[in-house]
């Protein structure tokens, strides 16, 4: 069975990503469930750093001026299912278990779970790498960063690179908000 594909329809254009459900079932299923609920629709990229990454997925970013953008996630106690039928319950902070199983590097175009640096602190936020950020790999012990990859851009990398080039303020927020109109799964 082929992995699902997510279409990201943004205010700057569309890009598509393969979601690694086969190798990252806990993380990928979380993303798929949130996308299918419409969770990401209307949110903005709240952190964009040229030659690094684009961060997205905080519910507070629906208001692009919110100082809380980058601090939120899904409701705690909510659930989703993995392909093998296992039910995963997000903790009270809306976080999911870390999934350190597939040694997939944070290469350009990959989707990676954002977290606070603490174990099991990823929820809905993720980032798109625009360069090879191997120091963020969970298996690279040169830094404490541990960000598992769960997908990769397969079409529209030009849109990702255009988003990374937008003008940002001192907090790395785009001056003109970049909106996620919708994410659809196929």
């Amino acid at each position: 069975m082929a992995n699902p594909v997510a279409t990201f329809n943004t205010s700057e254009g569309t890009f598509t990503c393969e979601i690694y459900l086969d190798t990252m079932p806990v993380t990928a299923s979380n993303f798929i469930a949130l996308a299918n609920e419409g969770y990401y629709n209307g949110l903005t990229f709240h952190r964009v750093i040229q030659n690094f990454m684009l961060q997205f997925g905080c519910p507070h970013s629906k208001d692009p001026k919110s100082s809380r953008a980058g601090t939120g996630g899904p409701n705690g106690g909510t659930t989703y299912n993995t392909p093998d039928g296992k039910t995963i319950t997000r903790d009270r902070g809306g976080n999911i278990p870390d999934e350190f199983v597939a040694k997939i590097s944070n290469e350009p175009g990959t989707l990676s779970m954002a977290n606070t640096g603490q174990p099991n602190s990823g929820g809905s936020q993720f980032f798109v790498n625009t360069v090879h950020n191997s120091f963020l790999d969970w298996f690279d012990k040169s830094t404490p960063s541990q960000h598992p990859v769960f997908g990769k851009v397969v079409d529209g990398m030009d849109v990702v690179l255009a988003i990374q080039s937008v003008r940002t303020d001192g907090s790395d927020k785009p001056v003109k908000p970049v909106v996620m109109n919708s994410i659809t799964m196929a």
Side-chain angles (χ1 to χ4, degrees):
M1 182 163 101
N3 276 327
V5 173
T7 300
F8 295 73
N9 176 358
T10 80
S11 58
E12 299 297 312
T14 300
F15 60 96
T16 57
C17 298
E18 176 185 359
I19 304 301
Y20 299 151
L21 188 60
D22 58 346
T23 54
M24 297 294 290
V26 172
T27 308
S29 294
N30 176 64
F31 169 80
I32 292 166
L34 292 170
N36 284 338
E37 290 170 15
Y39 181 90
Y40 295 116
N41 299 353
L43 301 184
T44 62
F45 286 86
H46 64 270
R47 189 170 172 230
V48 172
I49 302 175
Q50 192 158 15
N51 298 313
F52 182 34
M53 59 90 222
L54 323 172
Q55 191 167 340
F56 174 77
C58 177
H60 303 306
S61 74
K62 198 160 239 174
D63 172 3
K65 296 187 186 320
S66 174
S67 61
R68 295 178 60 205
T71 65
N75 291 330
T78 53
T79 62
Y80 64 95
N81 295 315
T82 59
D84 64 2
K86 185 177 178 185
T87 299
I88 307 291
T89 302
R90 296 178 183 98
D91 71 12
R92 64 187 179 119
N95 303 310
I96 65 170
D98 288 332
E99 189 172 32
F100 300 139
V101 293
K103 288 188 174 181
I104 307 167
S105 191
N106 281 272
E107 294 178 354
T110 54
L111 306 182
S112 192
M113 279 302 291
N115 59 50
T116 66
Q118 296 300 308
N120 305 311
S121 61
S124 58
Q125 293 186 49
F126 62 93
F127 53 91
V128 183
N129 289 291
T130 59
V131 297
H132 193 179
N133 293 311
S134 60
F135 69 96
L136 298 177
D137 295 342
W138 65 267
F139 48 90
D140 179 337
K141 301 304 177 192
S142 67
T143 69
S145 293
Q146 296 189 331
H147 299 276
V149 170
F150 67 95
K152 186 168 185 172
V153 175
V154 294
D155 188 38
M157 191 64 184
D158 58 323
V159 173
V160 170
L161 296 177
I163 293 170
Q164 90 159 338
S165 298
V166 301
R167 198 163 62 95
T168 57
D169 66 15
S171 299
D172 301 317
K173 284 184 188 178
V175 173
K176 177 185 169 202
V178 178
V179 179
M180 184 65 64
N181 298 317
S182 64
I183 299 176
T184 53
M185 300 301 306

